[in-house]
Amino acid sequence: MKLLIIILATLSQSAFSSEFFSNQVKDSMVPISGHASFGDLNGDGYDDIFVSGLYYFDYYCPPFTISCSFPVKVTEPAKVLLNDRVGGFYPADFDFIDTNLPVFEPSYQIEINYYKTTVADVNNDGFNDVVASDGRILLNDGSGQSWSQVEVSIGVGRESIYAIDFDNDGILEIFNEGRIRTRAGMNPLTYQTDSSFIIDDSLSVAFADFNNDAFVDIISYGNDSVATIYLNNQSGQFAKNTKVELGVVENVSLLVGDVNHDSKVDIVLSDKSVFFNQGDMNFQKVENSIFFSENNEYLPIKFTNYNEDGYPDLIVREIEQYYTTYYVLFNDGNGKFGYSDSGSLGSKTITDSVYNKYFSLISDFNNDGIDDYLTDSNSYYSNNYTWLCTKFLFHNSDTAISYT
């Protein structure tokens, strides 16, 4: 297997398995610390990356002690990284306005400010824009190099934001802070909020057509609540009396997709079980559908057809204390992951165990039909006590993957 490693930062001290990663390194290096989303921003057919602004300051010094940590500080403006179509990225020449969100202190002597984004064409001009959870939309002129900022009524928050066409009219709605925002006008761009349907904004959500009526539904989970599916009424609206509770609490992460090729959307949970969709909104929970380490925390991240057998394989993140490793678990064709024909573990390591790995983007960045993997590695203290985070892009360039 030949994989191209691209370093998108200023430092690299991580070790990688020689079985999977070559020593080819991209010369250009671009620092990334903030949340990232991807999509084609300049119309060349290749996915680019938008990195949101990030501020982080940590100076821990307990009272009545002389033992204090070195200060850790990140001040990173938002940026666009354009795909150079040969395996790397370069920054667009544009200065974005900082977020209006206030800095907050999640714990003692830590200050942070961030927001999240999604890439979507919200004004139907054929160019992907950037929708930010802090209440801004960045309109793209199509080049990825020139942007205009619009403040709109789409809610203000820090967590994930989504652009979904709930009513199949070709116009994207915005889901932010537990509410659906519908486009009300174009000149100027305005939105109105559906006040009849609210999901607790402390919950996580995912989107899929669970009942095969060609309309996108919503599943909510987290915060010790029962995972619940809200069915679209085929006009882009949702009612609490059409919800389906799955009878399971999922506080970590779940994925939705057709894992066994029966044309019905299934649900993968973080307890290594799968809810198989039986049709008519009936689900069967099958325990131990994911063969993986029994000792460490596991998170399902994304489906990908890694070995090109037509079945979705499962990318997972394993956390062991402060260390993280990403794996691909292969689908046996029946919705079980990590099993081979012989019954042994069927998986591939994407990255070796690396300290403090929290970031990942998965997309086909080089348009070869196979997903690539962008991730961070270590956090560092440099000589001026600035926190740096290295990004690696792994290109899978083979047309077929062999594994044991």
Side-chain angles (χ1 to χ4, degrees):
M1 179 188 300
K2 296 180 180 178
L3 296 177
L4 173 62
I5 303 177
I6 299 176
I7 298 181
L8 301 177
T10 55
L11 293 174
S12 172
Q13 298 181 3
S14 300
F16 296 93
S17 168
S18 60
E19 179 183 356
F20 305 113
F21 307 128
S22 71
N23 293 321
Q24 303 176 53
V25 178
K26 186 70 180 175
D27 292 334
S28 61
M29 299 179 181
V30 181
I32 307 175
S33 296
H35 174 267
S37 54
F38 63 86
D40 183 6
L41 298 176
N42 59 356
D44 65 354
Y46 286 76
D47 277 343
D48 309 298
I49 300 173
F50 181 87
V51 185
S52 66
L54 173 70
Y55 171 79
Y56 179 87
F57 180 77
D58 182 358
Y59 183 70
Y60 180 66
C61 190
F64 311 110
T65 181
I66 60 174
S67 175
C68 298
S69 65
F70 288 118
V72 180
K73 186 175 182 179
V74 180
T75 303
E76 181 183 49
K79 60 170 68 74
V80 168
L81 302 179
L82 296 174
N83 194 322
D84 66 8
R85 295 184 285 180
V86 292
F89 297 87
Y90 62 95
D93 186 16
F94 189 84
D95 295 326
F96 290 93
I97 300 173
D98 290 339
T99 180
N100 289 325
L101 288 175
V103 172
F104 72 102
E105 299 182 13
S107 60
Y108 180 67
Q109 291 185 332
I110 292 179
E111 297 178 350
I112 190 169
N113 203 5
Y114 70 93
Y115 57 94
K116 295 185 178 181
T117 62
T118 190
V119 172
D121 179 11
V122 297
N123 57 354
N124 292 81
D125 63 354
F127 306 129
N128 276 329
D129 311 298
V130 174
V131 186
S133 63
D134 64 0
R136 295 180 295 164
I137 292 180
L138 307 176
L139 296 175
N140 183 6
D141 72 346
S143 69
Q145 300 271 9
S146 181
W147 302 77
S148 58
Q149 175 177 300
V150 180
E151 303 236 0
V152 287
S153 299
I154 57 172
V156 176
R158 302 184 186 277
E159 299 308 322
S160 297
I161 186 168
Y162 307 89
I164 308 287
D165 185 3
F166 286 113
D167 55 4
N168 290 355
D169 65 350
I171 300 173
L172 296 173
E173 284 74 52
I174 307 299
F175 188 92
N176 189 27
E177 293 291 289
R179 298 191 179 193
I180 297 173
R181 329 282 175 158
T182 303
R183 197 175 78 187
M186 278 291 296
N187 224 352
L189 185 63
T190 57
Y191 283 81
Q192 63 184 14
T193 299
D194 180 1
S195 59
S196 66
F197 178 73
I198 302 173
I199 292 178
D200 186 340
D201 61 11
S202 69
L203 301 180
S204 299
V205 292
F207 306 90
D209 178 12
F210 290 101
N211 58 351
N212 281 15
D213 65 352
F215 286 83
V216 176
D217 308 306
I218 304 173
I219 182 171
S220 68
Y221 63 97
N223 201 23
D224 290 326
S225 67
V226 174
T228 302
I229 295 173
Y230 297 93
L231 294 177
N232 193 323
N233 69 355
Q234 301 187 2
S235 65
Q237 296 179 330
F238 298 82
K240 291 294 182 74
N241 60 2
T242 63
K243 68 181 181 181
V244 177
E245 295 185 346
L246 298 180
V248 63
V249 173
E250 172 55 73
N251 283 328
V252 183
S253 177
L254 63 74
L255 286 180
V256 293
D258 181 9
V259 301
N260 56 352
H261 273 200
D262 64 354
S263 300
K264 293 186 283 290
V265 175
D266 310 301
I267 305 167
V268 174
L269 302 179
S270 66
D271 66 357
K272 302 174 185 173
S273 67
V274 174
F275 268 83
F276 288 97
N277 192 335
Q278 306 297 301
D280 297 323
M281 295 308 298
N282 294 310
F283 291 84
Q284 178 186 7
K285 184 178 182 182
V286 179
E287 306 281 356
N288 301 316
S289 293
I290 297 164
F291 184 73
F292 200 59
S293 169
E294 295 292 334
N295 300 321
N296 301 324
E297 183 181 354
Y298 135 91
L299 285 79
I301 302 297
K302 186 187 175 182
F303 294 117
T304 181
N305 187 17
Y306 190 86
N307 57 357
E308 298 189 291
D309 64 353
Y311 291 94
D313 304 308
L314 181 63
I315 295 179
V316 300
R317 184 173 77 185
E318 180 188 45
I319 303 172
E320 183 179 6
Q321 293 184 333
Y322 299 109
Y323 290 84
T324 301
T325 307
Y326 285 84
Y327 298 90
V328 176
L329 305 183
F330 298 116
N331 191 332
D332 69 352
N334 296 306
K336 284 193 172 183
F337 297 91
Y339 294 86
S340 68
D341 292 338
S342 63
S344 61
L345 180 65
S347 66
K348 276 293 186 185
T349 304
I350 300 179
T351 66
D352 281 348
S353 182
V354 180
Y355 182 72
N356 272 354
K357 186 187 298 295
Y358 296 115
F359 170 102
S360 63
L361 282 181
I362 302 166
S363 179
D364 180 12
F365 287 106
N366 59 348
N367 282 9
D368 65 351
I370 305 172
D371 276 343
D372 308 306
Y373 182 78
L374 177 66
T375 183
D376 66 333
S377 67
N378 295 15
S379 302
Y380 297 92
Y381 298 96
S382 68
N383 290 333
N384 61 355
Y385 308 131
T386 299
W387 182 60
L388 298 174
C389 195
T390 305
K391 307 297 178 195
F392 296 89
L393 177 59
F394 302 109
H395 281 307
N396 177 2
S397 58
D398 287 348
T399 57
I401 307 298
S402 60
Y403 59 94
T404 57

